Amino acid sequence: MKRLFFVIIVLFGIMTSCTKNFEDFNTDKKRPTIVPAENLFANAQKALADNEASTNVNTNVFKLFAQQWTETTYTDEANYDVANRGIANNMFAIYYRDILRDLLEARNVINASEVIGDVALAEQKNQLAIIDATEVFAYSELLDIFGNVPYSKALDITNIYPQYDDALTVYKDLLTRLDADLAAMDVAQGSFGDADLYFAGDVAMWKKFANSLKVRIGITIADGDNATAKAAVESGYAGAFAPDETCELVYLDATNSNPMYQDMIQSGRHDFVPANTIVDMMNTLADPRRAVYFTLFNDEYIGGTYGVLSAFSQFSHVADVVQEQTYPSVLLDGIEMSFYLAEAAERGYSVGKTATEYYNAGITASFTKWGIADEAPAYLAKPEVAYATAAGTWKQKIGTQAYFAYYVKGLVAWTSWRRLDFPILNVPPNVDGYAEIPVRFSYPAREATINPVEYQAASSAIGSDKLTTKLFWDKF
């Protein structure tokens, strides 16, 4: 009897000890339910920078679309097949799931945090403005790539059928948001500190980023809405990046390396060589940047024929510096600003300097970036380069030199070509004429299946869901 009583007491003790602090036993302390806002923001930054740099044909084919590179083994993407690998599906997922969703969660965490004191409040405002500016950047690229996209109803997990918003309306809203972000940023206060992978919490640089983004968006839509473009550029240019300033993520080592290093070195694959499109143009001008862009093959710079199988061993290669594990991913810089402002000056916008001055500044900054600044003056003095004597219209002059300066910035180069129609690209063998070169991404096939009503509405609104459907700002 005593033994039975003892067993009952022990069992009761076990039962009561198990129910005490029961929730602690069901909480995985290594998997917090609330992730710090700094971590979410940094994760979004890295996903954004990785996407900019990547040359993975499953996600980012813009270096191919811009004909900076061509393929050595599989030429589907160089011939504009984006369906085979579901590239558009993957691109949507990166922007909405990996970038925008993390930015939204970072904002939610910050808004839910208790803030005490003026300094903490100012820091919180800076953080929210920086998150918003980064979100604007991501949405602007989605618009540049696809046209109309989910925006006002995006990221709502209760709405799995979000509408696609009119692209011009969204661009205008993004500009309004940037104005609000600029007004909210206080350069005398902190933000994310070292958790900010781009500027280490420097709010003054974030203000330059926001102003630079206003200029980029303005120039992008200039042929579609000149009045909005003019206002955006004129209000943003003075506070934008100087020619030597940049927003970039500098990679660390093999465990945190540039995606180009991962794709071309770490993978052990040799899938790309420089395309004859860019190489031949630069050869014609004896452009000194060839030595830092490409390697020599038999003492010459020889690009693979775009869209044709080009054996890796028979052509120039991508220069080693671009394939280094620490090579930075550039999101936005003063080189872009210089060419945008040269264009703005030609459009009659009030931007302080002439088109020639900005054009020269852009080329000089490009040479400086690649470590050959001393060769810029002689290059600029060539009659075929000098702004006063180079061939063609201002669109041809600016478009050609911007194209060279945007090397390995595939999306920027492709967008510049779409807007300015220069330089003239090559037509790959499996494409039926110049008009078949893509001017947008088709929508993800998944959207046509999962969100068919809104997909059809969006396709009709932009003219059709084709690679060759020109966006509203691509007028010529």
Side-chain angles (χ1 to χ4, degrees):
M1 187 68 180
K2 289 183 178 179
R3 184 172 179 177
L4 178 60
F5 181 74
F6 175 76
V7 170
I8 292 172
I9 293 296
V10 170
L11 288 174
F12 180 76
I14 292 173
M15 292 172 62
T16 55
S17 65
C18 287
T19 56
K20 184 179 180 181
N21 300 322
F22 183 77
E23 290 183 356
D24 289 347
F25 285 93
N26 287 275
T27 300
D28 186 346
K29 296 182 179 180
K30 293 183 179 180
R31 295 179 182 272
T33 55
I34 299 178
V35 179
E38 292 82 359
N39 295 30
L40 290 162
F41 177 63
N43 197 58
Q45 283 187 304
K46 185 169 187 303
L48 184 56
D50 285 353
N51 189 55
E52 298 291 318
S54 174
T55 189
N56 187 315
V57 293
N58 294 296
T59 56
N60 188 331
V61 294
F62 297 123
K63 296 177 186 64
L64 297 174
F65 274 26
Q67 299 193 9
Q68 297 175 336
W69 296 353
T70 192
E71 294 171 291
T72 61
T73 307
Y74 307 102
T75 61
D76 293 358
E77 292 72 35
N79 284 279
Y80 311 131
D81 180 355
V82 298
N84 186 44
R85 300 180 191 273
I87 298 170
N89 288 333
N90 300 331
M91 187 66 70
F92 245 49
I94 288 171
Y95 277 102
Y96 284 106
R97 179 196 64 205
D98 300 341
I99 299 168
L100 291 167
R101 187 68 201 179
D102 275 2
L103 291 172
L104 175 62
E105 291 302 323
R107 178 189 291 109
N108 290 341
V109 171
I110 290 171
N111 280 327
S113 301
E114 183 179 5
V115 178
I116 300 175
D118 292 342
V119 172
L121 180 61
E123 183 174 299
Q124 183 192 57
K125 288 179 65 177
N126 280 340
Q127 289 177 334
L128 291 171
I130 288 168
I131 288 171
D132 195 68
T134 308
E135 190 173 81
V136 167
F137 182 95
Y139 272 119
S140 72
E141 291 200 330
L142 278 167
L143 294 168
D144 295 346
I145 296 166
F146 293 101
N148 294 8
V149 293
Y151 176 70
S152 61
K153 304 299 183 182
L155 306 178
D156 180 356
I157 61 174
T158 66
N159 179 12
I160 61 174
Y161 308 115
Q163 70 183 51
Y164 285 57
D165 293 273
D166 172 70
L168 177 56
T169 302
V170 179
Y171 279 121
K172 288 181 175 181
D173 190 63
L174 296 180
L175 290 170
T176 299
R177 287 171 62 173
L178 286 173
D179 285 336
D181 296 336
L182 285 162
M185 291 182 193
D186 183 347
V187 299
Q189 303 298 329
S191 61
F192 285 104
D194 290 340
D196 172 7
L197 303 181
Y198 299 162
F199 297 123
D202 188 337
V203 179
M205 290 303 295
W206 276 106
K207 293 197 78 162
K208 290 190 175 187
F209 174 88
N211 277 306
S212 299
L213 189 49
K214 286 182 67 176
V215 173
R216 180 196 271 187
I217 292 173
I219 287 297
T220 297
I221 66 173
D223 284 335
D225 185 340
N226 186 62
T228 299
K230 184 174 186 291
V233 173
E234 289 182 349
S235 64
Y237 86 93
F241 290 139
D244 61 345
E245 292 177 325
T246 185
C247 173
E248 62 184 23
L249 188 152
V250 179
Y251 293 92
L252 302 178
D253 52 35
T255 58
N256 185 15
S257 55
N258 189 300
M260 286 192 291
Y261 167 81
Q262 297 170 21
D263 295 338
M264 296 190 290
I265 301 296
Q266 204 168 46
S267 69
R269 298 178 62 89
H270 301 299
D271 290 327
F272 307 102
V273 293
N276 64 333
T277 311
I278 188 171
V279 174
D280 290 351
M281 292 178 195
M282 296 183 79
N283 280 340
T284 299
L285 296 174
D287 193 310
R289 286 170 291 188
R290 291 173 300 168
V292 288
Y293 286 5
F294 323 119
T295 65
L296 288 165
F297 178 74
N298 291 339
D299 297 322
E300 296 181 275
Y301 297 105
I302 302 177
T305 302
Y306 184 76
V308 177
L309 288 175
S310 300
F312 187 76
S313 60
Q314 298 300 310
F315 298 97
S316 296
H317 297 159
V318 176
D320 290 344
V321 64
V322 174
Q323 302 182 73
E324 290 178 357
Q325 57 194 25
T326 57
Y327 186 77
S329 174
V330 176
L331 288 88
L332 189 60
D333 63 19
I335 297 172
E336 275 188 64
M337 291 304 106
S338 296
F339 288 111
Y340 293 156
L341 294 176
E343 181 178 337
E346 286 287 5
R347 290 179 180 276
Y349 301 175
S350 298
V351 288
K353 296 179 182 179
T354 65
T356 300
E357 290 174 304
Y358 283 122
Y359 172 88
N360 291 345
I363 294 172
T364 300
S366 175
F367 275 64
T368 301
K369 171 188 173 180
W370 293 95
I372 53 172
D374 57 334
E375 300 191 53
Y379 181 74
L380 283 165
K382 291 183 177 185
E384 59 269 46
V385 175
Y387 198 71
T389 55
T393 64
W394 66 263
K395 287 188 175 183
Q396 180 175 347
K397 296 174 186 182
I398 295 171
T400 300
Q401 287 300 327
Y403 177 75
F404 296 158
Y406 298 156
Y407 182 61
V408 301
K409 294 177 65 177
L411 176 56
V412 175
W414 181 49
T415 301
S416 179
W417 169 79
R418 288 183 289 163
R419 291 189 307 99
L420 299 176
D421 300 303
F422 286 100
I424 303 301
L425 301 182
N426 289 321
V427 179
N430 295 330
V431 174
D432 187 20
Y434 200 81
E436 296 301 308
I437 297 176
V439 290
R440 66 177 286 272
F441 257 27
S442 51
Y443 289 127
R446 185 183 297 125
E447 284 292 291
T449 303
I450 296 176
N451 192 12
V453 174
E454 299 300 341
Y455 161 79
Q456 289 294 344
S459 300
S460 298
I462 65 172
S464 68
D465 183 24
K466 296 180 181 179
L467 294 173
T468 54
T469 300
K470 287 196 170 189
L471 303 180
F472 78 90
W473 45 259
D474 186 6
K475 288 257 181 119
F476 304 106

